Amino acid sequence: MNAPRNPTLRGTLALFWLSLAVILYYLTHRPFLPPATTGVASAVQSVVLCGLVLLVGGGLGRRIAPGMNLPGAAAAAVQAALGLGLWGLAVLGLGVSLGFNSTIAWLLLLVALVLLRREIWAWARDVWNGAQGVIGTGGRTGRAIALLVGIIVVFGLLAALAPPLRFDALVYHLTLPAEYLAAGRVSHLPYNAFSGFPQNLHMLYLWSMALGAARPAVLGWCLGAVAALGLWALVADRFSPRAAWVALAALLVGYSPAASLGWAYVDWAGILFGLALWLALLNWQENLSRRNLVLAGLVAGLMLGVKFTSGALFIPAALWLALQKPCRAAVVGALVFGLAAAAAVAPWLLKNYAFTGNPVFPLAIPGLPSGLSEIRAGVLQGGPVRGGWTDLLLLPIRATYWGVELGQVGDAPGYEASIGALFLGLGALAALNPAGLDDRARRARALAAWLGVGGVVVFAIAGRVADHLSHTHLYYALFAPLAALAAIGYYQLAHIPMPGVRMGRIAAVLVLLALSTNALEISVESLKRNTPGAGLGLVTEQRYLEDTLGLFALVNQEINALPPGSRVLMLWEGRTYYCRPVCFPDDLLARWPDDLRRLGSADAVLAGWRDEGFTHLLVFHGAADFLRANDPRYPQDEWRAHDALLKTLPVVVDLNGFYILYDLRAP
């Protein structure tokens, strides 16, 4: 048979015909309605853009720290933390000096992609190889944990793609970057005290928003995925793949860390940087070079640039270095580590000092202006320290069993996080040694124990100094070392030689029971809220917000419908993400007593609000009633003045007395 003439042309025409047939069919048989298509496209866009930010972060980190004595995916986690932290500082520098907008964001990304293309490829290859390496490992226990972890991670991504709901995200985690983008620059926002906190991750949110990502929370999810993969790689390398899966189970068995994958909080950034610090110090142990010590110090400083309370991990890390031998070299090493960390966190301190005169605004330093009034500073610092000596000596037990997401049990401090029982239940068993460990495994265990236990001690002491420092979520940087200890505890338990009893199998059943319970809770909650539909654009944003946030979503809709030029002052409500730039928050729920004490009378307060250009007043009466009944820092005479003033104002919108929008304009 003769070969067909010009087979390339025939093949091309055949593929063209097939493609045309498929395309023409779907012009009249669309699988999605246009709104759903737009929603899916927006979700894909957010994933791609946030993924690009992650890639250039990993590429920069690999450029700075190319050769590390760690498994590929573990090294990639350190490099991602290092690179992303430095990119956050770059965005801060540009935002404060030249400004930051979509054009600058895209130029920065394109330049980074070109200059770091080799490093980006190499970093992505390490991540890909690491992800492939976890498939099918750890036996039946590993595969079962992997399934449950996958469920939690997928629902976390869907939550990140859905409109944000969580309180702190709507007050500042997403609101601050959106404000900076609208203004075209990074600055201090006097009406939002949280703009004084370090914001390394917020700068990356800003970059993602400027690129066009509608859901920058996806970037936080990406950081969580990299942290989980890096933790798995290190534990699998030093102990076993099954223990590595238990490490991930320990991280995700608690509702708070598992659900926060999609919250647009800084929790998983803290976990990533805490993991990176542990790994960077392990890397230094393998090669005692000054360069590796500087890298570890930079990671520590960038970690502080995510959240100041990550110092709970920095303090034991510095002490660990200072106690190495020989003594003189150890002191020098700790000093080098500290100076590198100081250099990395210094931009945030300088920003605050330039804008407020206080480098740690809104926190207080004796002898320096706090930048906040007495009442606002008091609300920020919380009420009197709750609990007693048991919260100092028995913190791991108290925080585990008395810690409830957004709640508290009895007279316990407001730990306000559900972290699961595996940190405590398995972590304490890491001290066992029936399996025998090689030198590398012993070093990993010793350092994890020093950092994790030392950090918990700092947490316990801090919680007795100030009430607001008792919140567990402030110390998520400790979670990677604690998860590693839980994995080591499982590894040791599995090697206890009890005749006729397989300790590892019993422990695995308990781990799977706990993890499956949390996976079920997160799945059910997500499905009840229709988070998957919202994440994929199958439900409109307004419908989703009304179904989940209720009257808050309705009042934001009313605010956005006000005439052009309206400016709404909020009382007892700090969430402004969905009504920017019309509304201005009561960030610390102290605007009324602060203005009343400063100006002296309700009439003067009203005149002051009008002078500031406010045309409307939104009062969250639900929050006001709660504070009136439960918080003694707000005297009753101030409440009476508050109520008397509101009676004189015309009502524009009344949502069941829960939210009321008043007209401030002079009659």
Side-chain angles (χ1 to χ4, degrees):
M1 175 181 277
N2 295 328
R5 288 177 292 180
N6 202 348
T8 301
L9 177 61
R10 292 189 178 190
T12 302
L13 290 175
L15 289 177
F16 174 76
W17 170 250
L18 176 60
S19 301
L20 182 63
V22 171
I23 292 171
L24 290 176
Y25 177 83
Y26 283 108
L27 287 178
T28 55
H29 299 78
R30 287 173 289 184
F32 301 108
L33 295 175
T37 304
T38 302
V40 172
S42 177
V44 171
Q45 181 185 39
S46 293
V47 171
V48 170
L49 293 175
C50 291
L52 288 173
V53 172
L54 176 65
L55 284 173
V56 297
L60 178 59
R62 188 175 179 89
R63 169 72 66 88
I64 296 170
M68 305 189 76
N69 300 295
L70 297 167
V78 180
Q79 292 159 352
L82 182 62
L84 288 170
L86 292 174
W87 280 124
L89 294 182
V91 173
L92 170 66
L94 287 170
V96 170
S97 57
L98 300 178
F100 203 80
N101 53 37
S102 179
T103 301
I104 294 175
W106 274 104
L107 285 174
L108 187 63
L109 178 65
L110 293 174
V111 169
L113 289 172
V114 171
L115 295 181
L116 299 172
R117 60 189 182 278
R118 292 186 180 87
E119 290 82 3
I120 290 171
W121 177 256
W123 183 85
R125 186 174 60 245
D126 282 347
V127 172
W128 176 254
N129 291 338
Q132 285 186 312
V134 310
I135 298 174
T137 59
R140 285 178 295 181
T141 297
R143 290 192 292 272
I145 293 176
L147 174 62
L148 296 171
V149 166
I151 291 172
I152 292 171
V153 168
V154 167
F155 277 108
L157 177 58
L158 292 171
L161 289 168
L165 304 176
R166 300 297 296 190
F167 186 87
D168 286 357
L170 304 184
V171 172
Y172 65 104
H173 289 313
L174 292 178
T175 302
L176 292 179
E179 294 268 13
Y180 299 149
L181 184 59
R185 64 188 313 104
V186 177
S187 63
H188 174 66
L189 304 180
Y191 50 83
N192 195 326
F194 301 105
S195 65
F197 287 145
Q199 300 168 53
N200 269 346
L201 182 58
H202 301 78
M203 295 298 99
L204 299 175
Y205 285 157
L206 169 59
W207 194 4
S208 302
M209 288 179 176
L211 292 172
R215 301 290 181 240
V218 173
L219 182 59
W221 178 90
C222 290
L223 268 59
V226 171
L229 184 60
L231 176 63
W232 190 96
L234 191 283
V235 176
D237 178 68
R238 300 293 170 95
F239 300 95
S240 72
R242 187 171 297 174
W245 283 115
V246 172
L248 297 193
L251 267 184
L252 296 171
V253 74
Y255 172 84
S256 298
S260 66
L261 275 167
W263 285 356
Y265 277 21
V266 299
D267 295 346
W268 279 91
I271 292 173
L272 174 62
F273 277 92
L275 170 70
L277 179 56
W278 176 47
L279 297 179
L281 290 173
L282 283 177
N283 178 62
W284 174 78
Q285 272 191 313
E286 299 290 337
N287 181 358
L288 302 176
S289 71
R290 183 68 55 85
R291 184 174 184 275
N292 286 341
L293 195 57
V294 170
L295 289 175
L298 288 175
V299 169
L302 295 171
M303 176 183 69
L304 294 172
V306 172
K307 191 181 282 288
F308 278 144
T309 48
S310 297
L313 193 64
F314 172 79
I315 292 172
L319 288 174
W320 178 79
L321 286 168
L323 293 174
Q324 300 300 301
K325 295 179 180 180
C327 184
R328 182 175 179 181
V331 172
V332 172
L335 182 61
V336 170
F337 174 80
L339 289 174
V345 76
W348 295 109
L349 305 179
L350 293 173
K351 167 190 170 282
N352 275 345
Y353 185 76
F355 284 116
T356 70
N358 176 7
V360 295
F361 176 90
L363 307 176
I365 291 181
L368 288 177
S370 70
L372 295 177
S373 65
E374 182 179 354
I375 178 65
R376 281 164 58 79
V379 172
L380 179 67
Q381 294 167 10
V385 174
R386 288 171 288 178
W389 64 269
T390 52
D391 296 284
L392 177 63
L393 301 180
L394 303 176
L395 177 73
I397 296 174
R398 299 274 284 181
T400 298
Y401 297 109
W402 276 259
V404 179
E405 176 64 29
L406 295 181
Q408 74 180 72
V409 178
D411 65 344
Y415 297 115
E416 295 187 357
S418 302
I419 62 174
L422 297 187
F423 288 159
L424 178 64
L426 287 175
L429 304 180
L432 302 176
N433 202 34
L437 302 175
D438 60 27
D439 289 342
R440 296 168 69 246
R442 280 199 297 270
R443 286 196 295 270
R445 179 179 65 172
L447 183 55
W450 182 276
L451 296 178
V453 176
V456 170
V457 170
V458 175
F459 174 12
I461 295 172
R464 305 311 303 150
V465 173
D467 183 66
H468 70 286
L469 294 179
S470 65
H471 300 167
T472 306
H473 72 88
L474 299 177
Y475 306 98
Y476 273 30
L478 305 176
F479 279 20
L482 293 175
L485 289 176
I488 299 167
Y490 168 82
Y491 182 77
Q492 299 290 18
L493 180 63
H495 285 82
I496 294 178
M498 287 187 65
V501 179
R502 301 185 67 173
M503 299 294 288
R505 182 165 295 179
I506 296 173
V509 169
L510 292 173
V511 169
L512 288 169
L513 177 62
L515 186 61
S516 61
T517 300
N518 196 41
L520 179 63
E521 180 180 1
I522 287 175
S523 303
V524 170
E525 178 184 73
S526 181
L527 293 173
K528 284 177 63 177
R529 290 178 170 177
N530 200 9
T531 300
L536 296 175
L538 306 178
V539 178
T540 66
E541 178 176 291
Q542 183 61 29
R543 175 62 182 271
Y544 178 65
L545 293 177
E546 289 180 14
D547 289 344
T548 52
L549 298 180
L551 294 177
F552 177 73
L554 293 175
V555 79
N556 276 277
Q557 189 176 44
E558 296 287 349
I559 290 173
N560 290 322
L562 290 173
S566 299
R567 284 165 54 90
V568 179
L569 174 65
M570 290 179 158
L571 285 189
W572 319 112
E573 176 62 83
R575 296 170 291 178
T576 59
Y577 181 73
Y578 288 114
C579 58
R580 294 171 296 99
V582 178
C583 52
F584 293 80
D586 189 353
D587 55 346
L588 299 175
L589 306 185
R591 178 72 190 239
W592 168 254
D594 186 31
D595 284 356
L596 184 62
R597 296 175 194 184
R598 180 170 52 86
L599 298 174
S601 69
D603 290 339
V605 170
L606 178 59
W609 290 345
R610 288 171 174 166
D611 289 343
E612 291 182 54
F614 293 117
T615 60
H616 296 79
L617 177 71
L618 175 70
V619 179
F620 183 7
H621 283 278
D625 292 343
F626 176 83
L627 292 172
R628 187 195 309 254
N630 295 281
D631 198 325
R633 290 173 296 184
Y634 302 91
Q636 289 303 312
D637 61 326
E638 294 180 353
W639 285 116
R640 286 190 288 272
H642 169 274
D643 296 342
L645 174 62
L646 296 183
K647 289 179 181 178
T648 67
L649 300 176
V651 173
V652 179
V653 176
D654 184 344
L655 296 179
N656 298 334
F658 205 65
Y659 282 102
I660 299 181
L661 183 65
Y662 299 90
D663 195 332
L664 285 180
R665 291 167 293 186

